[in-house]
Amino acid sequence: MSDLPEVLFVCVHNAGRSQMAAALLNHHGRGRVVVRSAGSAPADSINPAVVAAMNEVGLDLAQEFPKPLTTEAVQASDVVITMGCGDACPIFPGKRYLDWQLDDPAGQGIDAVRPIRDEIDRRVRALLAELVPVAN
C-alpha cells in the first residue's frame, strides 16, 4: 500500500487525452503521485498526433499503449478523472470524481492537439498542487 495519492485518467479510447494527462502528471509529480490511465473502449494504439505533441514538450509516449478500464483501477484510485466517458466509469463511495470537458484529439492534426495538451497540462498542474502541496 502506498501513502501517495493515486489518480486515474479515463477517456473512451485511452489513445489521447488520458494518455497526455497521465504522462504530464507523472512528469510534474516526480514520484509524488501514482498515476494510471485507461479507456472504456481502448483503441489499438496511441494517436500519432498526440505522440508528436507530447514529444514537443519532451515526453515520449512511444512505449505507451491503450489500456482497458477495470474496476480494480477505479477502486485503487483516490481521484478518478473522466474525459468524455463518465457514464462508463464505475462509481465507488469515498472516491473523488472529476469530469474534464476537453476536445477529443481523435482524427485531429498536431495543430489541434497542441491546445488540448496545453489545457490538460494547466489542469494537471492545478490538480497536483491540490494533491501534493509544496512544503514551505
Side-chain angles (χ1 to χ4, degrees):
M1 296 296 274
S2 170
D3 287 336
L4 300 175
E6 299 192 29
V7 177
L8 172 64
F9 293 102
V10 184
C11 66
V12 176
H13 300 298
N14 191 224
R17 295 167 288 189
S18 57
Q19 290 283 348
M20 287 191 284
L24 287 161
L25 185 54
N26 267 325
H27 172 72
H28 296 308
R30 296 187 173 111
R32 297 174 292 162
V33 181
V34 176
V35 183
R36 295 179 191 84
S37 71
S40 55
D44 293 329
S45 61
I46 304 240
N47 178 332
V50 166
V51 173
M54 294 304 284
N55 279 338
E56 289 181 346
V57 295
L59 298 175
D60 184 7
L61 296 183
Q63 302 304 311
E64 294 296 330
F65 58 93
K67 295 165 268 316
L69 177 63
T70 65
T71 300
E72 294 78 19
V74 177
Q75 285 178 311
S77 300
D78 299 304
V79 181
V80 179
I81 299 173
T82 57
M83 302 171 174
C85 66
D87 57 337
C89 192
I91 305 295
F92 293 100
K95 307 292 176 194
R96 180 178 174 197
Y97 292 87
L98 300 171
D99 185 44
W100 288 358
Q101 297 294 320
L102 297 159
D103 290 337
D104 189 347
Q108 303 290 331
I110 193 165
D111 289 338
V113 173
R114 284 183 188 115
I116 299 168
R117 174 201 64 204
D118 295 345
E119 177 60 18
I120 291 171
D121 188 47
R122 185 189 67 73
R123 293 180 190 204
V124 159
R125 288 173 189 257
L127 177 67
L128 182 61
E130 287 177 35
L131 295 176
V132 186
V134 176
N136 291 326

